[in-house]
Each structure stands twice: as C-alpha cells, then as structure tokens.
Amino acid sequence: MQDVTCEIDITGDICPMTFVRTRLALDKLAPGETLLVRLKGEEPLRNVPRTATEQGHRILAQETDSSGISMVLIRRGD
C-alpha cells in the first residue's frame, strides 16, 4: 500500500458504525492525506468505499487477505 497518514481497525464494528468511525477519522485529516481502514465482512466492504466516494473522497487501493480482513486506502478529498 502507498503512504498512509492514519489507520483505523473497524473489523469488530457493524454497519452503520463502520462508516461513522471511518468518517470521523477522515474528518481529522487534511485534504490529500490518506486513511487505511481495516474491515471485515461483505456489507462494510461495499458500504465504506461507496459512501466515502459519494462524499468526495477517493479510493486508492482495496484488497482482502486470506482471513477475510479487507484493507481500503482512502485519500481525503477537499
């Protein structure tokens, strides 16, 4: 993964808290900084990137390991 400004682990959270925690972390970043989100499950993997994009952020990378943990790298928009 590319340079990461901040990381959060929301693997123990369920929707809608997955994006609430992601949004709170993004709000603390300056435009252009990056957030690495660790999450688990199909619903958060669909909703977190979609909602981040809808709010003007950019998904830079997304991958899932063999244990089912996904990592989503988000660049904060303006």
Side-chain angles (χ1 to χ4, degrees):
M1 293 251 166
Q2 304 170 16
D3 290 335
V4 175
T5 306
C6 181
E7 291 184 37
I8 61 170
D9 184 332
I10 57 171
T11 54
D13 295 336
I14 58 171
C15 289
M17 286 309 296
T18 52
F19 191 72
V20 170
R21 291 202 47 220
T22 301
R23 179 159 184 194
L24 290 172
L26 285 166
D27 286 348
K28 293 178 183 176
L29 299 178
E33 290 185 325
T34 57
L35 174 67
L36 179 65
V37 182
R38 295 182 199 286
L39 50 86
K40 187 171 187 171
E42 290 180 27
E43 188 175 12
L45 187 56
R46 277 192 316 269
N47 292 336
V48 168
R50 177 182 47 80
T51 308
T53 301
E54 288 171 356
Q55 294 191 348
H57 308 295
R58 184 169 169 222
I59 306 304
L60 299 177
Q62 187 172 315
E63 57 188 56
T64 303
D65 68 18
S66 60
S67 69
I69 302 294
S70 299
M71 292 181 286
V72 179
L73 184 62
I74 305 169
R75 173 172 285 138
R76 182 183 162 145
D78 294 333

